[in-house]
Amino acid sequence: MSRNTKINLLLLLAVAALAVLPLALGLGDHKKEPFTGADGEAETAITELKPDYEPWFSPLYEPPSGEIESGLFSLQAALGAGVLAYYFGLRRGRRQGEQRALEREADSALTGAAGKSAAERD
């Protein structure tokens, strides 16, 4: 097993552990909504500490339901993942292209040198 395969397996195991452990350990069981986002948690904490708090600004767009808000968030995450995947794929492709070009140059230099030495012998 190569080094990269081992690293990828360890990263996959870590991601799986981060997804499963909170559920398996029962984290958040004491809460009414255990897996709400940080925004909701912050809003709850602020209203408990200062009930008369006024926000500085309001959102530009307020989705009509939580499902639409969740869908838009998922779309944003998917677009971000797509941009990152494109960038890393482009970098890898360029690196592989440069490596192949260098190999072709080295091969042509070797065959050119071998051809000249054979021609010089005659």
Side-chain angles (χ1 to χ4, degrees), residues 13 28 45 54 67-68 71 93 109 119-121:
L13 182 64
E54 291 283 331
E67 291 84 10
I68 294 174
E120 290 173 356
R121 284 185 214 148

Side-chain angles (χ1 to χ4, degrees), residues 31-47:
K31 297 180 181 178
K32 188 171 113 180
E33 294 182 28
F35 298 107
T36 59
D39 292 344
E41 293 287 328
E43 185 179 347
T44 304
I46 289 170
T47 54

Side-chain angles (χ1 to χ4, degrees), residues 62-93:
E62 187 72 36
S65 70
E67 291 84 10
I68 294 174
E69 184 177 358
S70 178
L72 289 173
F73 181 77
S74 299
L75 178 65
Q76 178 186 0
L79 288 172
V83 167
L84 284 175
Y86 175 77
Y87 171 74
F88 286 119
L90 185 68
R91 278 191 51 197
R92 182 175 181 171

